[in-house]
Amino acid sequence: MPVPLLFLVADTGGGHRAAARAVAQALHRDYPGAFAPVLCDPLGGPRAPALLRRVAGLYGPAIRCAPWLWGVIYHGCDSRPAVRLLRATLLALADRPVVDAVARHRPAAVVSFHPLTGPAAARARDVAAPRVPVVTVVTDLVNIHASWRPALATHALGARAVRGTSGDHPARCDPASGRDATLGRDAALGCGAGSGCDTGLGCEAMADRGAGADRIVVPPTASRLPWPPGKSSPRRVDIGLPVAAEFAAGPPLPHERRALRRALGLDEHRFLVLLTGGGEGAGGIGRRVAAILRQCDDVGVVALCGRNRGLRDNLAALAARSAGRLIVRGFVENMAQWLRCADVVVGKAGPGTIAEAACCGTPMLLTSHLPGQESGNIEVVVGAGAGRYVPTVRRLVRDLDVLRRDPAAIDAMRVAAAGLGRPGAAADIAALLAGLAHVEIPAAAGRTGTSRTGTSRTGTRQRRGARERGEEEPCASGER
């Protein structure tokens, strides 16, 4: 009988759900038949209170039309007193959907992939399942908001934008010994001598779960942590932002890139620019697409508009007059193929886009960032040589014109981008969850995040049907 796991997400942007599905995919791949992950959106899903659904629904319009307003909200809530007030009022409405989901599915672990679902996860654990561990997967790269601080969570896993000095291969402890399969190589956590663990990774006994001590992994590039230093600080573990396995193949060889373009109906030899605004289609894609088509001759353009139907309709009209140079799509399930066949990706500095592009080795031209959680991401990408900051349309067109004539520069950026990637992060998180659930980790190696799986049509139908019935969504094998 598969072990249920409850994954909490919210559709404020596309990265939270994508991260959850990447971990679910890794669980299905590495532990076939062992787990049954279920997605639950307590903020905007069918079982969420109407007020929460309305508030969550404002995120997309806010970041598209008034990003400054989002910045005011973000910074206004970025303190412990503000988060405490938010948890006691608006976010308390998310408790009931999560408590109900825990009672219905009886999960072996509750995993929060969103900063505003963590408190509900902890309270549901306390009310309905006191011995169930709560894991928080942080999906921001640099700026960590105060709301990410887990409320009595057992473990928290944070995104890592770059490979640090900690090495590339996380060690794992034996779950049979009763210890957590803690990941990362942060010597500051150090296991004690004679603990039975030779990794030096700070593994804690499962009995410690009731102590209420937070463990959170934050990226080493974090500008500040949302808690004061001292004994009350959460323990830290570093791990990458989880991405689906199809992103893990790295930079394609030239013949692979040409084959991908043929499969997608693209010109094999034309310099290809991929523009994306994340799940909300934000970042001023429309005017940038128009400028590239107007000023860069013989450049192919693909615009991915996410859930922004207005943008998609406007660009579709432009595509009809582009002589085949512009292709417009909405929310796509084969993002890895588009990234791997592109010469550059253009868009705002969203953490999910950066993580996926890095794993695909795609050079990045970053046009903007959301005030708050994305403001430090540009420095990470530019500092690594994996991309450039192009805040104006004129700068974007100029850099594109230079790069399309300089293959060596593009190749160098591909290598640098690949160096930022953490393609095995989802598999590492899956191993942690398996350890918490006391599922034996297979002796054979192979959880490198490099296997490729397609999108399951059956899984898509299951998700759609679950939404229509107001249920949580199953994560089927092979889904993103």
Side-chain angles (χ1 to χ4, degrees):
M1 187 71 177
V3 176
L5 299 172
L6 184 64
F7 287 1
L8 303 182
V9 299
D11 288 324
T12 53
H16 307 290
R17 187 177 292 269
R21 286 185 176 155
V23 175
Q25 181 193 61
L27 285 165
H28 286 301
R29 182 185 65 240
D30 297 341
Y31 309 95
F35 294 100
V38 176
L39 296 187
C40 173
D41 181 354
L43 304 184
R47 295 180 183 270
L51 177 59
L52 272 184
R53 289 201 302 271
R54 285 195 290 269
V55 172
L58 293 174
Y59 176 82
I63 68 168
R64 289 195 301 265
C65 304
W68 63 269
L69 177 60
W70 170 252
V72 171
I73 296 171
Y74 179 96
H75 291 294
C77 296
D78 193 15
S79 67
R80 296 181 71 188
V83 170
R84 210 176 295 122
L85 177 62
L86 200 59
R87 288 175 174 171
T89 54
L90 182 65
L91 294 183
L93 297 175
D95 291 357
R96 176 49 54 190
V98 180
V99 169
D100 289 347
V102 169
R104 184 162 49 253
H105 298 285
R106 302 180 62 84
V110 181
V111 190
S112 173
F113 291 85
H114 193 283
L116 303 185
T117 60
R123 282 193 283 264
R125 181 266 313 276
D126 295 340
V127 169
R131 296 185 62 82
V132 170
V134 173
V135 178
T136 299
V137 178
V138 178
T139 55
D140 288 325
L141 295 178
V142 177
N143 290 341
I144 311 300
H145 193 270
S147 58
W148 274 115
R149 177 169 181 158
L152 299 181
T154 303
H155 286 74
L157 302 177
R160 183 154 96 166
V162 298
R163 297 182 189 271
T165 58
S166 58
D168 298 338
H169 302 290
R172 299 171 175 83
C173 297
D174 182 5
S177 68
R179 298 183 178 275
D180 298 344
T182 308
L183 304 178
R185 298 187 64 180
D186 189 346
L189 294 174
C191 297
S195 66
C197 173
D198 60 359
T199 64
L201 302 182
C203 299
E204 298 290 335
M206 292 294 289
D208 287 346
R209 294 197 318 207
D214 294 337
R215 285 104 168 169
I216 189 166
V217 172
V218 296
T221 49
S223 58
R224 72 173 182 82
L225 306 181
W227 53 83
K231 291 185 179 180
S232 62
S233 299
R235 293 180 179 268
R236 296 177 52 177
V237 176
D238 287 349
I239 204 168
L241 184 71
V243 299
E246 53 264 32
F247 292 96
L253 297 173
H255 73 274
E256 294 176 317
R257 192 174 302 114
R258 290 193 297 270
L260 277 172
R261 291 186 180 185
R262 284 196 301 271
L264 294 170
L266 303 171
D267 188 294
E268 294 182 33
H269 306 289
R270 180 179 283 167
F271 190 88
L272 183 63
V273 180
L274 176 68
L275 291 97
T276 176
E280 303 299 337
I285 293 177
R287 65 178 183 274
R288 289 176 169 84
V289 168
I292 294 170
L293 291 175
R294 186 171 57 249
Q295 300 181 46
C296 294
D297 296 335
D298 200 32
V299 168
V301 180
V302 175
L304 304 182
C305 303
R307 290 181 283 265
N308 193 335
R309 293 183 179 179
L311 173 65
R312 183 176 180 178
D313 291 343
N314 291 338
L315 289 181
L318 182 60
R321 307 189 302 270
S322 69
R325 292 176 58 202
L326 173 61
I327 292 178
V328 181
R329 296 287 187 272
F331 205 100
V332 299
E333 293 284 355
N334 60 338
M335 184 66 180
Q337 290 182 310
W338 293 106
L339 282 170
R340 297 188 75 236
C341 75
D343 289 296
V344 295
V345 58
V346 177
K348 71 181 187 70
T353 298
I354 290 174
E356 291 172 353
C359 287
C360 292
T362 307
M364 292 166 260
L365 297 183
L366 302 178
T367 61
S368 61
H369 61 80
L370 282 181
Q373 74 264 37
E374 294 179 1
S375 58
N377 298 353
I378 290 174
E379 287 80 359
V380 170
V381 173
V382 174
R388 299 183 181 183
Y389 181 40
V390 288
T392 65
V393 174
R394 179 178 297 179
R395 176 79 176 270
L396 169 63
V397 171
R398 187 192 70 188
D399 281 22
L400 280 176
D401 192 55
V402 170
L403 288 172
R404 69 179 176 137
R405 304 175 195 276
D406 190 352
I410 290 290
D411 289 341
M413 293 170 72
R414 289 189 200 280
V415 173
L420 286 174
R422 300 288 295 183
D428 294 341
I429 296 173
L432 173 64
L433 297 179
L436 292 174
H438 298 288
V439 173
E440 183 179 356
I441 297 175
R447 283 186 308 277
T448 60
T450 57
S451 64
R452 304 183 197 180
T453 53
T455 301
S456 166
R457 294 184 180 179
T458 300
T460 300
R461 289 195 296 268
Q462 287 177 327
R463 295 198 307 269
R464 188 180 298 116
R467 287 184 179 180
E468 292 171 352
R469 295 188 300 271
E471 301 171 356
E472 286 76 35
E473 302 173 34
C475 267
S477 175
E479 291 181 329
R480 280 191 61 223

